[in-house]
Amino acid sequence: MTPYRNTRYWLRDFRRGGRPRTKKEKFNQAHSQLRNVIERAFGVLKARFPILDKMRRFSFTTQKYLVVATMAIHNFLRRIRLNDELFRRFEDVGLEVSNTIEMNSESATSATQHVFRPQDQTFMHQLRDQVPNELDLLVGV
């Protein structure tokens, strides 16, 4: 699900410009926060397992199994070692992962257009439009 284009997206923009003012900005802020958490999690995995950072040319199936296996090992290590240096390094909620992909660019949108059928895109856009309303119910705004 892509963020809304031509609408504030990056967390630092919300820090400078205040709270979201529209439903699209509210969705983009939530999207950006979740994306940041996910990218920090992958940062921990890539730091712990360099094979994920410099993946050789494996088949998609092999790549999938490598990611799942490293996640399983990582979760096991996390359970037995509560004070994990990698987690401490990446836990800073204020840490914003660099914006390597410009969300307002045509490339972010065009990449999804080639993967999904038009009816899938319509469904996702409708779902995206519903998310800010659900966020309002969760936070009582």
Side-chain angles (χ1 to χ4, degrees):
M1 188 177 303
T2 60
Y4 288 102
R5 294 180 58 219
N6 301 318
T7 303
R8 253 189 326 170
Y9 179 78
W10 300 108
L11 295 178
R12 70 174 169 272
D13 294 336
F14 287 104
R15 281 189 219 110
R16 283 191 301 239
R19 296 170 44 102
R21 292 183 287 275
T22 66
K23 290 191 181 285
K24 288 182 179 182
E25 284 188 353
K26 186 175 287 191
F27 174 85
N28 279 5
Q29 182 187 40
H31 188 283
S32 183
Q33 289 171 330
L34 290 172
R35 178 176 182 249
N36 208 16
V37 168
I38 291 165
E39 288 189 4
R40 281 198 323 267
F42 275 99
V44 170
L45 285 170
K46 287 161 68 170
R48 184 172 309 241
F49 302 102
I51 191 170
L52 295 176
D53 195 30
K54 296 169 180 41
M55 183 78 71
R56 289 186 19 223
R57 289 283 214 201
F58 294 115
S59 71
F60 179 76
T61 301
T62 301
Q63 290 180 40
K64 179 177 66 176
Y65 289 141
L66 277 169
V67 170
V68 170
T70 57
M71 286 180 161
I73 294 167
H74 171 80
N75 288 341
F76 174 75
L77 292 173
R78 181 73 174 137
R79 283 194 181 132
I80 63 170
R81 289 185 11 209
L82 297 178
N83 292 323
D84 189 324
E85 175 58 30
L86 285 172
F87 264 96
R88 274 200 305 277
R89 237 189 307 163
F90 286 88
E91 267 178 350
D92 181 11
V93 175
L95 174 72
E96 184 172 348
V97 179
S98 67
N99 41 340
T100 55
I101 300 173
E102 181 54 48
M103 284 298 157
N104 290 334
S105 73
E106 292 293 326
S107 62
T109 303
S110 64
T112 60
Q113 289 173 343
H114 298 292
V115 176
F116 299 108
R117 301 172 303 179
Q119 60 267 33
D120 295 333
Q121 289 181 32
T122 300
F123 172 77
M124 291 306 284
H125 286 133
Q126 290 171 347
L127 184 62
R128 178 180 65 183
D129 290 342
Q130 292 174 7
V131 169
N133 296 327
E134 297 296 324
L135 290 173
D136 285 344
L137 293 174
L138 287 174
V139 295
V141 175

